[in-house]
Amino acid sequence: MAEQTELTAGFTLPGTSIAVNRMGYGAMQLAGRDGNKLVWGPPRDVNGAITVLREAVASGVNHIDTADFYGPHVTNQIIRKALAPYADDLVIVTKVSARRGDDGSWIPAFSREELTKAVHDNLQNLGLDTLDVVNLRGMFNTHEPAEGSIEGQITVLAELQKEGLVRHIGLSNVTPTQIAEARRVAPIVCVQNHYNLAHRADDALIDDLARDGIAYVPFFPLGGFTPLQSASLSDVAARLEATPMQVALAWLLQRSSNILLIPGTSSVEHLRENLKAAMLQLPSEVVAQLDAIGRASGH
């Protein structure tokens, strides 16, 4: 049993009784790979993946991010094997609106039938009767938010919510326009987009969501850094006797109180390192130096 740690103050999703620690866990890296097919098939070490999940929960993590198209199906099945029956306070957040091609590609799955099937697949593979939170992932551009109406897709999720299959709805890989459109259809409890020290396009969005109490969940905490930015981060980390990942995560936690983290890893050692970031307090002069990394990127 890992030592119980205080993973920063909890955050309650708006309009709900769901409270999660701000340091969560992203399960995508638990799936394997097959040549160029990433997040595909089972991992080399299934028991190792189970150990990582159990260690995370034993350490105080109660927010796990997943999707049934990771693997596909593999990650959710590992979560079920590792953690079911689930603790009462464990919140599993999943995503829909993509499916996988035989070549490992990520294909939009936006139709009513595909969204409904995805919800049922998540329920079956996780072993749940109701999904805590389902994020609709924007798929107009696989790699970054792109405009396009999501009203029809949110309407389908809202109907599944009324049926009792989904408790709450979130969004992923979306623009501010799409968030506003979705909120006209149903309450939105969280938004998950690419954001980190160097990729700061959502700065204004984070502040807007914070005013409404909506969680912002950044992914790729070290994604898209230039070598110079990485060197700057490594320099700060060395002075603080921390890892670059720990500093990047600590900066996100201090950036705004509505930010929830979901760093992923398939290694218990890296998991423990990531969780320690919740204890790392960055002095104001360090925050200013780190902020400059984002300004240098042009975001």
Side-chain angles (χ1 to χ4, degrees):
M1 178 73 73
E3 181 183 351
Q4 191 77 14
T5 53
E6 179 58 49
L7 301 182
T8 72
F11 181 91
T12 301
L13 297 179
T16 81
S17 58
I18 293 180
V20 295
N21 292 321
R22 290 179 62 208
M23 180 69 81
Y25 174 78
M28 184 171 76
Q29 291 188 37
L30 295 184
R33 66 176 294 172
D34 179 6
N36 292 327
K37 299 180 188 178
L38 303 178
V39 197
W40 187 270
R44 286 196 299 270
D45 182 3
V46 173
N47 288 332
I50 289 171
T51 299
V52 169
L53 282 164
R54 289 177 176 168
E55 173 97 9
V57 171
S59 300
V61 167
N62 63 353
H63 168 206
I64 293 177
D65 179 82
T66 186
D68 207 61
F69 50 75
Y70 294 164
H73 315 306
V74 168
T75 298
N76 280 353
Q77 291 168 356
I78 292 174
I79 290 171
R80 180 180 185 174
K81 188 172 183 180
L83 302 177
Y86 302 108
D88 290 342
D89 69 337
L90 181 64
V91 178
I92 299 177
V93 178
T94 190
K95 286 175 290 298
V96 295
S97 74
R99 61 182 177 86
R100 305 299 297 279
D102 292 339
D103 59 352
S105 57
W106 307 76
I107 302 168
F110 257 16
S111 72
R112 173 180 293 275
E113 293 73 24
E114 287 169 319
L115 293 171
T116 303
K117 182 179 187 303
V119 165
H120 283 281
D121 285 348
N122 275 280
L123 289 167
Q124 178 179 342
N125 287 308
L126 288 168
L128 292 168
D129 296 321
T130 306
L131 299 172
D132 291 322
V133 182
V134 174
N135 288 334
L136 180 80
R137 191 185 196 282
M139 291 292 292
F140 298 102
N141 182 317
T142 305
H143 303 293
E144 62 186 12
E147 296 296 356
S149 176
I150 58 173
E151 180 181 358
Q153 290 74 34
I154 291 293
T155 300
V156 172
L157 290 185
E159 291 170 1
L160 295 170
Q161 186 179 35
K162 288 174 183 169
E163 290 178 26
L165 301 179
V166 173
R167 285 197 180 92
H168 306 288
I169 299 171
L171 300 169
S172 178
N173 196 44
V174 287
T175 68
T177 300
Q178 289 165 336
I179 296 168
E181 180 183 43
R183 293 180 70 188
R184 289 192 290 270
V185 177
I188 298 299
V189 299
C190 57
V191 173
Q192 188 182 105
N193 274 359
H194 180 191
Y195 179 83
N196 57 38
L197 268 171
H199 189 88
R200 303 282 297 274
D202 275 359
D203 266 335
L205 174 61
I206 289 170
D207 296 338
D208 289 343
L209 294 174
R211 281 190 285 272
D212 289 336
I214 297 173
Y216 183 92
V217 188
F219 55 80
F220 297 142
L222 289 179
F225 280 46
T226 67
L228 184 60
Q229 289 164 343
S230 294
S232 299
L233 177 60
S234 295
D235 177 56
V236 170
R239 294 205 316 273
L240 295 174
E241 298 183 342
T243 68
M245 184 69 156
Q246 285 172 330
V247 173
L249 293 172
W251 179 86
L252 286 166
L253 285 173
Q254 289 182 222
R255 165 65 182 82
S256 182
S257 61
N258 68 322
I259 287 182
L260 309 180
L261 301 186
I262 50 167
T265 179
S266 58
S267 155
V268 168
E269 179 186 0
H270 288 157
L271 171 72
R272 290 171 179 164
E273 283 184 2
N274 290 344
L275 297 183
K276 286 179 183 176
M279 311 297 161
L280 184 60
Q281 287 293 321
L282 303 178
S284 56
E285 64 271 18
V286 169
V287 172
Q289 185 176 352
L290 294 172
D291 284 344
I293 292 177
R295 285 195 294 275
S297 73
H299 285 292

